[in-house]
Amino acid sequence: MTEPAVLLEGIRVAFPDGPDERVVLDDLKLSVDPGELVVISGQSGAGKSTLLAVTGLLRRADAGEVTIAGTATSAMSSRQRTAVRRDHIAFVYQSANLLPSLTAVEQLELVGHIRGERSADVRRRARGLLDELGLADRASQLPSQLSGGERQRVGIARAFMAEPSVLIADEPTASLDPQRADSVAELLAGASGRGIATIVVAHDTAALSRADRHLRMEDGRLIDVGG
Amino acid sequence: MFLALRDLRRGARRFALLGVVIALVALLSTVLSALATGLVTDGISGLRALPFDHLALQDGSQSTFSRSTLRPDTLEKFEGLDGVKATPLGASFVNAASTDGGPNLDLALFGVSPDSFLVERPEAHAALEGTPGLVLAHELEEQGVKVGDTYTLGGSDVELPVLGFTFAGTYGHAPIAFTSLETWQKVQFGDGADGRFAAVALTGGTDQQLEKAATATHTDVLTKKEAYAGSPGYTAETTTMSLIRGFLLVISALVIGAFFTVLTVQRTRQIGLLKAMGATNGYILRDGIGQMAILVVLATAGGVALGCALVFFMGRGDAPVELSIPAVTTVVVSLVVAGVLGSLVAFKRITGVEPAIALGVEP
């Protein structure tokens, strides 16, 4: 049996709400296998982004265990969690979140630089990925010179550059027109072919139609609504 | 510094303002430093050039020649010490009125024995041993004073010719005029000098020997550097200049700290993004501090270069400015250190940024 790339068990997150607390994630469970694409939908404020943050080790849960690529992380120090994030997790954001002073190829090279890889290898791999995603001729452009769709594709290429076990995407198609949204969703679906466990928060059919599993967030838990 | 270098290159306009401020501080520091060095030189260069190690002055004179009067018996005690050379020194400020209608001069008049170790050059020795007269600092020659001009020294009727010029330097911002000790005594005390002089210049000997002799003769034995404090205005000038330079460094550190803090606040989401990508606090701090260090070094180099050019032009006028490599190096090193220290102000803010901010989630 394949070991899940992501395993969440008994996750609880609550925020203070005046004298009380508002429970956002309540005894939540989730298991995602390598190469599986899971799409999560839910109402605004349901806790989808919080779930992504906990899964991506960007914040700690109040209770429960997050296991990434077979490594339990709840007892880890911040430094150790940073190392797990660097080696196993990549993100794609709604607004691409590219660094304004870096060209497209440098956005990817930065990933390798943070990981302490040799710059010649990093540059070759970065160019290869941009080429693969149809951005070869945009490699030297700054984010301000790219269209919304191109920025998002560079964001995805950056995520692939990390060769992650887990790819987390937060509404990556929300700000794109249907045609570009479809192209981006296709690229994310391509992550499965790379053996990456992909968790996408999305509402549009472009993403939902490609999901291996569709989960809905309700009352702090995930409900399986089919594939 | 992958990100820092590209950020500096492509966001040059954002850093230009801070760069200009640092360059101006560096320029000002260089000019002040040159002024401080120049003032020190103007105050004590003559004393610094004399080949002695220690000076003995009358007890309680507080390094000031005009408050010190010593007699031959004191000199004899120092001369009697093994391995010590001692010679009397007269020093006072006088006004020299030209008898030929030329400009009057303010002089620091130093009286020395022609055959003492203080008179190193043979021509100076010959000049002082012959007819009484003045051997003047060479700067005065550039001002039009000539050999053979005669001056009446204020406070006395002693009239002396100019015998020659030498690298005598200045003391208390007045050019030094050497004369024989005997002539100095005549100018200072008239016919009742009774062998008096202002100080004993010493070379050689141990600290213990000199301390013992100082106690026995009721004198203060000062090192050469300690003797500088007796130059009029020396302590006030050096303290003021040090204070101004200190303030400039503090201001520089605060400006850089404030700028870096604002920059860090602006970059909060970017820092969160880097952390989400797996960058450690160390990586982000190295990048940020490295960026500030490059900016500070470049701006400081530019400012110092401009400052040196300005000092060069100021030096052609009357301003007492002097560039010295150690002083300029101190300016550069101090500004760079102050800048990097200032950038550390944002240290806590950077380490406090949560990676969850990259997703727009409340940490």
Side-chain angles (χ1 to χ4, degrees), chain B residues 196 202 311 332 361:
Chain B
R196 287 175 289 175
L202 302 159
V311 167
V332 172
V361 175

PDB file of all heavy atoms in Angstrom, chain B residues 196 202 311 332 361:
ATOM      1  N   ARG B 196      65.876  80.954  33.793  1.00  0.00           N
ATOM      2  CA  ARG B 196      64.563  80.289  33.787  1.00  0.00           C
ATOM      3  C   ARG B 196      64.139  79.859  32.374  1.00  0.00           C
ATOM      4  O   ARG B 196      64.514  80.474  31.383  1.00  0.00           O
ATOM      5  CB  ARG B 196      63.498  81.228  34.366  1.00  0.00           C
ATOM      6  CG  ARG B 196      63.611  81.396  35.880  1.00  0.00           C
ATOM      7  CD  ARG B 196      62.624  82.408  36.393  1.00  0.00           C
ATOM      8  NE  ARG B 196      62.999  83.779  35.992  1.00  0.00           N
ATOM      9  CZ  ARG B 196      62.228  84.844  36.236  1.00  0.00           C
ATOM     10  NH1 ARG B 196      61.065  84.699  36.847  1.00  0.00           N
ATOM     11  NH2 ARG B 196      62.638  86.039  35.862  1.00  0.00           N
ATOM     12  N   LEU B 202      62.780  65.704  27.244  1.00  0.00           N
ATOM     13  CA  LEU B 202      63.523  64.504  27.653  1.00  0.00           C
ATOM     14  C   LEU B 202      63.442  63.435  26.582  1.00  0.00           C
ATOM     15  O   LEU B 202      62.414  63.285  25.908  1.00  0.00           O
ATOM     16  CB  LEU B 202      62.903  63.931  28.939  1.00  0.00           C
ATOM     17  CG  LEU B 202      62.859  64.868  30.152  1.00  0.00           C
ATOM     18  CD1 LEU B 202      61.811  64.399  31.138  1.00  0.00           C
ATOM     19  CD2 LEU B 202      64.232  64.912  30.815  1.00  0.00           C
ATOM     20  N   VAL B 311      37.657  68.665   0.182  1.00  0.00           N
ATOM     21  CA  VAL B 311      38.759  69.006   1.090  1.00  0.00           C
ATOM     22  C   VAL B 311      39.960  69.519   0.291  1.00  0.00           C
ATOM     23  O   VAL B 311      40.627  70.470   0.703  1.00  0.00           O
ATOM     24  CB  VAL B 311      39.157  67.769   1.938  1.00  0.00           C
ATOM     25  CG1 VAL B 311      40.486  67.999   2.653  1.00  0.00           C
ATOM     26  CG2 VAL B 311      38.066  67.463   2.952  1.00  0.00           C
ATOM     27  N   VAL B 332      35.048  55.612   6.857  1.00  0.00           N
ATOM     28  CA  VAL B 332      34.424  54.569   6.039  1.00  0.00           C
ATOM     29  C   VAL B 332      33.972  53.405   6.926  1.00  0.00           C
ATOM     30  O   VAL B 332      32.809  52.982   6.881  1.00  0.00           O
ATOM     31  CB  VAL B 332      35.406  54.066   4.947  1.00  0.00           C
ATOM     32  CG1 VAL B 332      34.841  52.860   4.226  1.00  0.00           C
ATOM     33  CG2 VAL B 332      35.687  55.185   3.955  1.00  0.00           C
ATOM     34  N   VAL B 361      -3.411  34.276   5.344  1.00  0.00           N
ATOM     35  CA  VAL B 361      -4.096  33.668   6.497  1.00  0.00           C
ATOM     36  C   VAL B 361      -3.581  34.284   7.778  1.00  0.00           C
ATOM     37  O   VAL B 361      -2.382  34.553   7.913  1.00  0.00           O
ATOM     38  CB  VAL B 361      -3.817  32.133   6.526  1.00  0.00           C
ATOM     39  CG1 VAL B 361      -4.398  31.500   7.772  1.00  0.00           C
ATOM     40  CG2 VAL B 361      -4.393  31.500   5.282  1.00  0.00           C
TER      41      VAL B 361
END
